[in-house]
Amino acid sequence: MASRPASRNLEGGLAALLLGYTAICCASLIYVAGWYPEFHIFFDPGSLHHAALALSVLTAISFFFSIGEFSFGYFVSFYLYNLVMGYIWLSYFSHFEYDLALARLSAVASLLAFLIPAVLITAPLPRTYELSRKAFHALPTVILVLAATIVGIGTTYGFRLVGLQDMYSAQREIAYPTWLNYLIGATSTTLLPFAFACFAGRRALWKAVACLIVASLFYPITLNKSTLLTPGWLLFLLILLEFFKPRTVVILSLLIPVSTGLLLLLLLDRGAGVIFGTVNFRMLAIPASMFDIYNDYFSKHDLTYFCQISLLKFSDCAYRDQLGVVLANKYHLGNLNGSLFVTEGIASVGVTLAPASAFACGLLVALANRASAGLKPSFILTSAAVLPQVFMNVPLSTILLSHGGALLFLLWYVCPRDLDEIAAESTPVEEVARSPVAPAAFPEAL
């Protein structure tokens, strides 16, 4: 992709962009508190100066994203930075009673402990195997057929076209066998975005569109907002990559939706409820508030010592149900799943040792960096498009297994590194020529 002045200027002002984003997020959380106080999200102008001072210190960490090179760990780390930033802000208005000062210190230390390996460790792994060009050319088509087959199987258990307002109640009626749950999670979260990235890199328009169509069909069988938004999210990131470099795209991928939700709220008030509620509340505020809820609960109850992980569950585990269900029964706010910071961290080992757990998780993400080293940054970003959002709401152990994270890392490892040559060999020139939108929709960066 040719370099553009707008892209160069924005890259040079990455630090300013990060500061602006932080300010917009704080403003967003103020309005979230006004709309959703029943979710224990509050705002008190009397504590504003304390929250602002704490965030001004935290923004020093944001400059980490100005100096770090793009990698999968960079992508994930920025999304997790949002959780800690949001929690630090919300904690100054919390109504819960626990050691807030220690919890804030633990959250910041956990973020740093995760960032250091996840952003800085990028050296390639020794590679002992690589897919042949023929196999790699066929792989995305195989994934597309597999995804369509899984959708077909899922429809035999139920196909529900319901609106967002009825989504959560209808979810309770879904019951798939365990093996199908794993296939649905891995395919919708990692395999289809990977196939889409492959087709986009080859400028294979119609196969890429087929990926988006199949991805959209996962919503009626899962009734999950992530699957509903995946097709639009993939296109959104692809368009951003046409104009900006990957590091800038990572920041804009949250800055644009959050700013849009806040602007529409200011202009339309209640008329912006769906967008503001989906992005500003559900996507960002709720994952950040999990720090507050998990800290409150586990300051008064036994730690899990990782027994919430199915493979590690033992007979004397204090929790028989999933943590999201346990906290839902306590706080009556729905299924309260959380990120690795609150599950593998606060819930498993407590606030004092949470940074050590975060460091171990950062090392696992660094392994993904090393597995993907040598691939084009835009290809990594597109094929991993959905995973950072999942990191904000789901434990790392669940991401690796149920959402196919480990499978994506393996695919990166075995991918050929000469993707530009493969794309040149396999590009359906006549297909692109027939489509006037193809050059703009499929940036050369992939």
Side-chain angles (χ1 to χ4, degrees), residues 11 14-15 18 58-70 73-82 111 114-115 119 247-248 250-251:
E11 282 285 306
L14 210 57
L18 286 161
L58 183 65
T59 52
I61 298 177
S62 73
F63 289 104
F64 207 87
F65 300 105
S66 297
I67 62 175
E69 295 298 323
F70 175 83
Y74 182 102
F75 196 4
V76 170
S77 294
F78 180 70
Y79 277 61
L80 293 182
Y81 165 77
N82 282 269
L111 177 62
F114 181 87
L115 279 174
V119 175
R247 288 196 308 167
T248 305
V250 169
I251 298 169

Side-chain angles (χ1 to χ4, degrees), residues 253-278:
S253 68
L254 289 182
L255 174 60
I256 292 175
V258 172
S259 301
T260 301
L262 184 59
L263 180 61
L264 289 176
L265 180 72
L266 295 175
L267 294 176
L268 304 177
D269 193 35
R270 294 284 171 176
V274 173
I275 297 175
F276 185 82
T278 300

Side-chain angles (χ1 to χ4, degrees), residues 24-370:
I24 289 173
C25 282
C26 293
S28 174
L29 288 171
I30 292 174
Y31 282 95
V32 166
W35 275 44
Y36 303 100
E38 68 274 17
F39 284 84
H40 301 281
I41 298 175
F42 303 104
F43 174 70
D44 176 10
S47 300
L48 176 60
H49 60 292
H50 294 296
L53 179 61
L55 275 192
S56 67
V57 175
L58 183 65
T59 52
I61 298 177
S62 73
F63 289 104
F64 207 87
F65 300 105
S66 297
I67 62 175
E69 295 298 323
F70 175 83
S71 65
F72 173 69
Y74 182 102
F75 196 4
V76 170
S77 294
F78 180 70
Y79 277 61
L80 293 182
Y81 165 77
N82 282 269
L83 303 190
V84 176
M85 176 182 65
Y87 168 65
I88 297 300
W89 174 269
L90 293 174
S91 68
Y92 283 92
F93 317 110
S94 175
H95 290 189
F96 290 125
E97 295 182 357
Y98 59 89
D99 192 336
L100 285 161
L102 177 61
R104 293 185 196 110
L105 182 62
S106 174
V108 174
S110 295
L111 177 62
L112 278 171
F114 181 87
L115 279 174
I116 290 170
V119 175
L120 297 183
I121 299 178
T122 58
L125 288 171
R127 301 181 69 233
T128 58
Y129 177 78
E130 179 176 294
L131 286 174
S132 67
R133 293 192 175 194
K134 181 177 180 181
F136 180 72
H137 181 74
L139 179 60
T141 302
V142 172
I143 291 174
L144 181 58
V145 172
L146 173 65
T149 302
I150 292 171
V151 169
I153 296 173
T155 58
T156 64
Y157 291 86
F159 190 88
R160 305 164 182 83
L161 292 174
V162 299
L164 294 178
Q165 67 276 11
D166 301 317
M167 181 181 68
Y168 294 108
S169 58
Q171 272 182 351
R172 292 191 285 269
E173 303 174 7
I174 300 176
Y176 293 123
T178 302
W179 63 269
L180 186 54
N181 275 325
Y182 277 97
L183 284 176
I184 289 174
T187 305
S188 61
T189 305
T190 60
L191 291 181
L192 268 178
F194 177 85
F196 177 79
C198 291
F199 289 136
R202 299 171 190 173
R203 303 167 72 83
L205 172 64
W206 302 117
K207 288 184 178 179
V209 170
C211 277
L212 299 179
I213 293 173
V214 173
S216 68
L217 294 176
F218 274 90
Y219 173 71
I221 66 173
T222 62
L223 299 182
N224 182 287
K225 278 186 178 178
S226 178
T227 55
L228 175 65
L229 299 176
T230 291
W233 185 253
L234 289 171
L235 276 178
F236 173 59
L237 293 184
L238 197 65
I239 292 171
L240 287 180
L241 283 169
E242 172 67 12
F243 299 99
F244 306 106
K245 295 179 181 179
R247 288 196 308 167
T248 305
V249 170
V250 169
I251 298 169
L252 291 177
S253 68
L254 289 182
L255 174 60
I256 292 175
V258 172
S259 301
T260 301
L262 184 59
L263 180 61
L264 289 176
L265 180 72
L266 295 175
L267 294 176
L268 304 177
D269 193 35
R270 294 284 171 176
V274 173
I275 297 175
F276 185 82
T278 300
V279 176
N280 303 63
F281 172 57
R282 291 284 179 187
M283 184 176 175
L284 292 180
I286 283 294
S289 72
M290 290 302 101
F291 274 93
D292 203 25
I293 291 175
Y294 274 68
N295 272 312
D296 177 66
Y297 185 86
F298 287 99
S299 67
K300 305 175 181 66
H301 297 82
D302 293 336
L303 301 177
T304 70
Y305 301 105
F306 301 103
C307 75
Q308 78 274 9
I309 301 174
S310 298
L311 296 177
L312 301 179
K313 191 176 286 291
F314 37 83
S315 58
D316 59 345
C317 179
Y319 303 96
R320 310 315 307 174
D321 293 325
Q322 294 180 350
L323 288 185
V325 176
V326 172
L327 272 69
N329 293 334
K330 170 68 176 179
Y331 296 95
H332 308 291
L333 296 175
N335 201 329
L336 299 179
N337 292 315
S339 67
L340 63 91
F341 287 148
V342 300
T343 49
E344 281 98 351
I346 295 167
S348 295
V349 296
V351 290
T352 304
L353 294 178
S357 177
F359 181 73
C361 292
L363 288 175
L364 286 174
V365 170
L367 190 63
N369 292 345
R370 301 188 67 192

